[in-house]
Amino acid sequence: MNWNGLFSRIRFRLSAWVRPRMVYGFQRGDGVFLKRTRVSNMTRIEHIDKLMVEDNVYIGHFNLVDASGGLYIGEGCQVTNYVSVLTHSSHVAIRLYGREYLTRDNHVGYLKKTTRLGAYSFIGPHSVLMPGVELGKGSIVSAYSFVPAGEYPDFAILAGNPARVVGDTRDGDAEWLAQSPELHRLYEAWAND
Protein backbone atom coordinates (compact mmCIF):
# COMPACT_ATOMS: atom_id res chain seq x y z
CA MET A 1 0.00 0.00 0.00
CA ASN A 2 1.25 3.50 -0.82
CA TRP A 3 0.89 5.30 2.53
CA ASN A 4 2.00 8.69 1.12
CA GLY A 5 -0.77 8.62 -1.47
CA LEU A 6 -3.41 7.45 1.00
CA PHE A 7 -2.41 10.09 3.54
CA SER A 8 -2.42 12.75 0.82
CA ARG A 9 -5.96 11.85 -0.31
CA ILE A 10 -7.29 11.77 3.26
CA ARG A 11 -5.62 15.10 4.11
CA PHE A 12 -6.99 16.61 0.89
CA ARG A 13 -10.57 15.57 1.71
CA LEU A 14 -10.42 16.58 5.38
CA SER A 15 -9.03 20.01 4.57
CA ALA A 16 -12.33 20.93 2.89
CA TRP A 17 -13.94 21.08 6.34
CA VAL A 18 -11.57 23.79 7.47
CA ARG A 19 -11.27 26.47 4.77
CA PRO A 20 -9.80 26.95 1.30
CA ARG A 21 -6.15 26.07 1.54
CA MET A 22 -3.29 24.67 -0.46
CA VAL A 23 -2.51 20.98 0.01
CA TYR A 24 1.16 20.11 -0.48
CA GLY A 25 1.88 16.83 -2.20
CA PHE A 26 -0.22 15.25 -4.94
CA GLN A 27 -0.59 11.69 -6.15
CA ARG A 28 -1.06 11.34 -9.90
CA GLY A 29 -3.42 8.80 -11.38
CA ASP A 30 -0.44 6.53 -12.20
CA GLY A 31 0.52 6.44 -8.51
CA VAL A 32 3.53 8.78 -8.63
CA PHE A 33 3.65 11.08 -5.60
CA LEU A 34 4.70 14.68 -6.38
CA LYS A 35 5.90 16.24 -3.14
CA ARG A 36 6.36 19.79 -4.50
CA THR A 37 3.01 20.02 -6.31
CA ARG A 38 0.34 22.08 -4.54
CA VAL A 39 -3.39 21.81 -5.27
CA SER A 40 -6.18 23.71 -3.54
CA ASN A 41 -8.69 21.65 -1.62
CA MET A 42 -11.32 23.80 -3.39
CA THR A 43 -10.32 22.85 -6.94
CA ARG A 44 -12.36 20.19 -8.74
CA ILE A 45 -10.35 17.65 -10.73
CA GLU A 46 -12.41 15.47 -13.07
CA HIS A 47 -10.97 12.13 -14.32
CA ILE A 48 -7.72 12.21 -12.35
CA ASP A 49 -6.74 8.96 -14.07
CA LYS A 50 -6.32 10.91 -17.35
CA LEU A 51 -4.34 13.76 -15.78
CA MET A 52 -0.58 13.71 -16.27
CA VAL A 53 0.95 16.41 -14.10
CA GLU A 54 4.64 17.00 -13.46
CA ASP A 55 6.13 18.20 -10.17
CA ASN A 56 6.36 21.74 -8.81
CA VAL A 57 2.90 22.63 -10.17
CA TYR A 58 0.56 25.06 -8.42
CA ILE A 59 -3.22 24.79 -8.92
CA GLY A 60 -5.01 27.45 -6.87
CA HIS A 61 -8.51 27.86 -5.47
CA PHE A 62 -11.87 27.36 -7.22
CA ASN A 63 -10.70 25.87 -10.52
CA LEU A 64 -12.25 23.22 -12.73
CA VAL A 65 -9.62 20.87 -14.13
CA ASP A 66 -11.30 18.51 -16.61
CA ALA A 67 -8.99 15.71 -17.71
CA SER A 68 -11.66 13.48 -19.34
CA GLY A 69 -10.08 13.90 -22.79
CA GLY A 70 -6.49 13.74 -21.52
CA LEU A 71 -4.66 16.60 -19.82
CA TYR A 72 -0.93 17.24 -19.46
CA ILE A 73 0.34 19.94 -17.09
CA GLY A 74 4.08 20.52 -17.38
CA GLU A 75 6.58 21.11 -14.60
CA GLY A 76 6.34 24.42 -12.78
CA CYS A 77 2.96 25.46 -14.23
CA GLN A 78 0.81 27.84 -12.21
CA VAL A 79 -2.96 27.73 -12.58
CA THR A 80 -4.21 30.64 -10.48
CA ASN A 81 -7.88 30.88 -9.36
CA TYR A 82 -11.30 30.54 -11.04
CA VAL A 83 -9.78 28.89 -14.12
CA SER A 84 -11.42 26.23 -16.31
CA VAL A 85 -9.02 23.89 -18.10
CA LEU A 86 -11.18 21.76 -20.38
CA THR A 87 -10.74 18.63 -22.48
CA HIS A 88 -14.35 18.08 -23.48
CA SER A 89 -17.34 20.17 -24.46
CA SER A 90 -20.92 19.07 -24.97
CA HIS A 91 -22.60 22.44 -25.55
CA VAL A 92 -23.12 21.88 -29.29
CA ALA A 93 -24.39 18.31 -28.84
CA ILE A 94 -26.83 19.37 -26.13
CA ARG A 95 -28.33 22.02 -28.43
CA LEU A 96 -28.56 19.53 -31.30
CA TYR A 97 -30.23 16.76 -29.28
CA GLY A 98 -32.27 18.90 -26.91
CA ARG A 99 -34.27 16.80 -24.44
CA GLU A 100 -33.00 13.57 -26.03
CA TYR A 101 -29.34 14.26 -25.16
CA LEU A 102 -29.28 12.04 -22.06
CA THR A 103 -31.00 9.13 -23.84
CA ARG A 104 -28.52 8.94 -26.75
CA ASP A 105 -24.91 7.79 -27.16
CA ASN A 106 -22.09 8.86 -29.49
CA HIS A 107 -23.36 12.40 -29.86
CA VAL A 108 -22.75 14.46 -32.96
CA GLY A 109 -21.13 17.74 -31.91
CA TYR A 110 -19.53 16.33 -28.74
CA LEU A 111 -15.93 17.52 -28.59
CA LYS A 112 -13.16 15.68 -26.74
CA LYS A 113 -9.51 16.69 -27.24
CA THR A 114 -6.30 16.50 -25.24
CA THR A 115 -5.11 19.76 -23.66
CA ARG A 116 -1.43 20.43 -22.87
CA LEU A 117 0.12 23.15 -20.72
CA GLY A 118 3.84 23.60 -21.32
CA ALA A 119 6.40 23.79 -18.51
CA TYR A 120 6.57 26.97 -16.42
CA SER A 121 3.43 28.47 -17.92
CA PHE A 122 1.09 30.78 -15.99
CA ILE A 123 -2.71 30.78 -16.33
CA GLY A 124 -4.28 34.01 -15.04
CA PRO A 125 -7.50 34.20 -13.00
CA HIS A 126 -10.91 33.74 -14.64
CA SER A 127 -9.47 32.21 -17.81
CA VAL A 128 -11.00 29.41 -19.88
CA LEU A 129 -8.82 27.01 -21.88
CA MET A 130 -10.95 25.06 -24.35
CA PRO A 131 -10.38 21.42 -25.33
CA GLY A 132 -7.40 21.01 -27.64
CA VAL A 133 -5.27 23.90 -26.36
CA GLU A 134 -1.54 23.21 -26.68
CA LEU A 135 0.23 25.93 -24.73
CA GLY A 136 3.99 26.20 -25.20
CA LYS A 137 6.44 26.34 -22.32
CA GLY A 138 7.05 29.60 -20.48
CA SER A 139 3.74 31.10 -21.65
CA ILE A 140 1.36 33.45 -19.88
CA VAL A 141 -2.42 33.47 -20.29
CA SER A 142 -3.65 36.87 -19.10
CA ALA A 143 -6.57 37.13 -16.69
CA TYR A 144 -10.08 36.80 -18.18
CA SER A 145 -8.81 35.22 -21.41
CA PHE A 146 -10.77 32.72 -23.48
CA VAL A 147 -8.25 30.45 -25.21
CA PRO A 148 -9.69 28.52 -28.16
CA ALA A 149 -8.29 25.16 -29.32
CA GLY A 150 -5.00 25.48 -31.11
CA GLU A 151 -1.26 25.32 -30.80
CA TYR A 152 0.44 28.31 -29.17
CA PRO A 153 4.21 28.88 -29.31
CA ASP A 154 6.68 28.67 -26.45
CA PHE A 155 6.93 31.90 -24.41
CA ALA A 156 3.68 33.33 -25.82
CA ILE A 157 1.71 35.95 -23.92
CA LEU A 158 -1.98 35.37 -24.67
CA ALA A 159 -4.75 37.84 -23.92
CA GLY A 160 -8.33 38.55 -24.95
CA ASN A 161 -11.59 36.91 -25.92
CA PRO A 162 -10.72 35.08 -28.05
CA ALA A 163 -7.11 35.08 -26.83
CA ARG A 164 -4.37 36.00 -29.26
CA VAL A 165 -0.60 36.11 -28.94
CA VAL A 166 0.23 39.66 -27.85
CA GLY A 167 3.84 39.29 -26.74
CA ASP A 168 6.77 37.10 -25.72
CA THR A 169 7.63 36.38 -22.08
CA ARG A 170 11.35 36.34 -22.89
CA ASP A 171 11.24 40.11 -23.40
CA GLY A 172 10.24 40.68 -19.77
CA ASP A 173 12.44 37.85 -18.53
CA ALA A 174 15.49 39.46 -20.17
CA GLU A 175 15.14 42.52 -17.91
CA TRP A 176 15.01 40.37 -14.77
CA LEU A 177 17.95 38.25 -15.93
CA ALA A 178 20.00 41.40 -16.67
CA GLN A 179 19.47 42.49 -13.05
CA SER A 180 20.28 39.02 -11.69
CA PRO A 181 22.78 37.35 -14.04
CA GLU A 182 23.33 34.50 -11.56
CA LEU A 183 19.87 33.21 -12.58
CA HIS A 184 20.82 32.63 -16.25
CA ARG A 185 21.92 29.05 -15.59
CA LEU A 186 18.69 28.18 -13.74
CA TYR A 187 16.48 29.81 -16.39
CA GLU A 188 18.28 28.17 -19.28
CA ALA A 189 18.03 24.73 -17.60
CA TRP A 190 14.32 24.54 -18.46
CA ALA A 191 13.98 27.21 -21.19
CA ASN A 192 16.46 25.50 -23.51
CA ASP A 193 14.99 21.98 -23.08
Side-chain angles (χ1 to χ4, degrees):
M1 173 172 266
N2 182 335
W3 291 105
N4 275 341
L6 178 62
F7 179 70
S8 176
R9 286 192 300 274
I10 291 169
R11 186 178 53 172
F12 186 83
R13 296 294 177 220
L14 291 176
S15 64
W17 292 93
V18 180
R19 61 182 162 74
R21 68 180 201 85
M22 297 308 298
V23 179
Y24 284 71
F26 181 78
Q27 185 168 356
R28 288 193 314 215
D30 64 359
V32 173
F33 184 73
L34 307 169
K35 68 179 182 178
R36 293 187 320 254
T37 291
R38 292 96 59 213
V39 179
S40 169
N41 64 327
M42 296 294 171
T43 280
R44 176 74 181 171
I45 299 175
E46 299 279 340
H47 298 273
I48 196 168
D49 58 310
K50 296 179 182 176
L51 170 62
M52 177 53 68
V53 60
E54 301 298 340
D55 209 0
N56 202 28
V57 167
Y58 172 91
I59 302 175
H61 302 308
F62 311 113
N63 297 305
L64 172 61
V65 177
D66 160 38
S68 64
L71 175 59
Y72 173 81
I73 301 176
E75 177 184 9
C77 280
Q78 297 175 39
V79 179
T80 59
N81 302 304
Y82 300 99
V83 172
S84 293
V85 180
L86 306 174
T87 63
H88 89 281
S89 179
S90 58
H91 71 280
V92 172
I94 289 173
R95 284 196 312 276
L96 294 175
Y97 289 88
R99 293 181 184 102
E100 295 294 315
Y101 178 79
L102 293 177
T103 64
R104 305 287 182 101
D105 294 323
N106 302 318
H107 299 98
V108 171
Y110 185 91
L111 176 66
K112 188 178 264 191
K113 289 186 177 180
T114 300
T115 297
R116 297 182 58 82
L117 308 182
Y120 296 95
S121 294
F122 176 89
I123 314 301
H126 301 280
S127 295
V128 176
L129 281 67
M130 290 300 286
V133 166
E134 293 187 28
L135 189 63
K137 68 183 174 188
S139 296
I140 292 176
V141 175
S142 299
Y144 295 96
S145 294
F146 175 84
V147 184
E151 193 171 331
Y152 299 93
D154 292 344
F155 306 103
I157 298 173
L158 296 162
N161 184 358
R164 290 177 170 53
V165 176
V166 297
D168 190 307
T169 59
R170 291 172 291 195
D171 296 338
D173 294 345
E175 293 177 32
W176 289 101
L177 291 169
Q179 295 172 24
S180 303
E182 70 278 6
L183 297 178
H184 276 275
R185 180 181 55 80
L186 301 174
Y187 184 84
E188 290 169 3
W190 69 266
N192 293 333
D193 263 354

